[in-house]
């Protein structure tokens, strides 16, 4: 899809599963299972959505999925599915990993930065050797010293190797990293997670990351139990969803498997998604 000179493609690192109760917080199961059916282990299907972006002569990859540094036990817990995975998909698209100029991680949970690295000779090394990697400084600091409540989401192998290779750019706040690519702090899920706004040709795309992980999370109270600051999530959701609807932005959800992109239309006191198919 084109926005003026900027062009982007939706790609995924396949699907995984998380506990439905944890994904919907205070919403009772009889309500959420109508829109996100649980499997026999109470898990719901999620997709790891990434964007490949061409802007200002650069190749940019937003989010790098879960990667392949998984042992059998954890692969089974998260039910990763859907190969071929991200690097192979990029190569098939004619943009092999070494051609990527910038990698953006909205935050450093394992399902957003897994392909940052892969294991070579027993050691985690950067997959995108020529790229600048971008995240908020606050998120990097937290990733290295997480709380007991969220440490299961952070794996140092996903972010420490690019310190050694000096590939990190750590942001202090919102930033337009490349003309047309705006990174916006949207706290709630954690303190420094970012959403991403693409602008060009008079059009706007809004990538929600985990602020609104799936289309089912559009109603205000449908907030993940994982979120560290749920009332901040609530404020930021109301702010950005209202703006996306009012200004006719194409919304792309971080983890939606069935309708990853669409326009939100205000209907009475709620928003209805009008899905858009993005071809890779
Ligand atoms: Zn996530």
């Amino acid at each position: 899809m084109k926005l003026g000179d900027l062009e982007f493609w939706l790609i995924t690192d396949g699907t995984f599963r998380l506990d439905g109760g944890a994904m919907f917080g205070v919403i009772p199961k009889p309500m959420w299972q109508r829109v996100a059916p649980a499997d026999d282990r109470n898990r719901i299907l999620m997709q790891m959505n990434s964007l490949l972006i061409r802007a200002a002569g650069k190749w940019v990859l937003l989010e790098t999925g879960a990667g392949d540094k998984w042992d059998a036990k954890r692969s089974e817990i998260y039910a990763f599915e859907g190969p071929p995975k991200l690097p192979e998909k990029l190569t098939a698209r004619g943009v092999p990993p070494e051609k990527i100029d910038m990698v953006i991680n909205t935050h450093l949970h394992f399902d957003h930065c897994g392909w940052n690295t892969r294991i070579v000779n027993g050691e985690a090394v950067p997959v995108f050797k020529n790229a600048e990697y971008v995240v908020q400084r606050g998120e990097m600091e937290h990733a290295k010293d997480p709380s007991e409540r969220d440490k299961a989401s952070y794996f140092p192998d996903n972010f420490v190797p690019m310190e050694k290779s000096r590939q990190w750019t750590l942001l202090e706040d919102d930033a337009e990293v490349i003309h047309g690519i705006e990174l916006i702090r949207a706290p709630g899920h954690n303190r420094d997670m970012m959403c991403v706004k693409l602008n060009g040709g008079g059009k706007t795309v809004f990538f929600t990351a985990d602020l609104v992980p799936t289309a089912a999370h559009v109603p205000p109270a449908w907030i993940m139990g994982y979120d560290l600051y749920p009332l901040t999530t609530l404020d930021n959701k109301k702010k950005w969803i209202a703006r996306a609807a009012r200004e006719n932005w194409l919304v792309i959800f971080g983890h939606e498997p069935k309708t990853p992109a669409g326009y939100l239309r205000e209907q009475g006191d709620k928003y209805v998604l009008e899905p858009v198919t993005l071809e890779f």
Side-chain angles (χ1 to χ4, degrees), residues 68-237:
D68 68 351
K69 302 183 292 303
W70 294 93
D71 60 31
K73 185 182 160 201
R74 283 205 175 105
S75 299
E76 212 252 324
I77 288 173
Y78 294 116
F80 295 114
E81 266 175 51
K85 299 290 192 171
L86 214 49
E88 286 75 12
K89 287 182 179 175
L90 290 169
T91 301
R93 175 73 188 69
V95 190
E98 60 272 18
K99 275 199 180 175
I100 299 288
D101 299 295
M102 179 183 284
V103 171
I104 299 167
N105 298 136
T106 61
H107 59 305
L108 296 173
H109 287 168
F110 67 74
D111 52 325
H112 297 259
C113 63
W115 280 113
N116 279 6
T117 62
R118 73 184 341 156
I119 302 290
V120 176
N121 299 325
E123 196 192 346
V125 298
V127 167
F128 304 96
K129 294 185 183 73
N130 302 312
E132 169 187 9
Y133 286 68
V134 180
V135 77
Q136 288 288 321
R137 182 180 299 279
E139 173 65 359
M140 177 63 81
E141 285 167 2
H142 182 72
K144 288 180 183 168
D145 186 23
S147 71
E148 288 85 350
R149 193 169 184 272
D150 63 351
K151 71 177 179 200
S153 298
Y154 290 108
F155 297 97
D157 271 355
N158 286 335
F159 45 87
V160 169
M162 284 75 64
E163 275 196 329
K164 288 185 205 150
S165 62
R166 297 174 181 267
Q167 282 173 275
W168 277 116
T169 293
L170 301 176
L171 303 176
E172 311 291 339
D173 205 343
D174 297 358
E176 187 177 36
V177 282
I178 287 177
H179 185 66
I181 305 179
E182 252 181 275
L183 309 187
I184 300 165
R185 278 185 66 245
H189 184 54
N190 62 17
R191 198 188 55 196
D192 292 289
M193 194 205 77
M194 303 186 289
C195 295
V196 180
K197 206 152 138 306
L198 306 179
N199 309 297
K203 290 182 272 187
T204 297
V205 169
F206 190 67
F207 184 85
T208 62
D210 280 349
L211 178 65
V212 191
T214 75
H217 290 83
V218 168
W222 292 53
I223 290 172
M224 287 190 271
Y226 296 109
D227 284 18
L228 299 184
Y229 311 103
L231 294 179
T232 310
T233 303
L234 181 66
D235 286 346
N236 272 318
K237 272 177 73 175

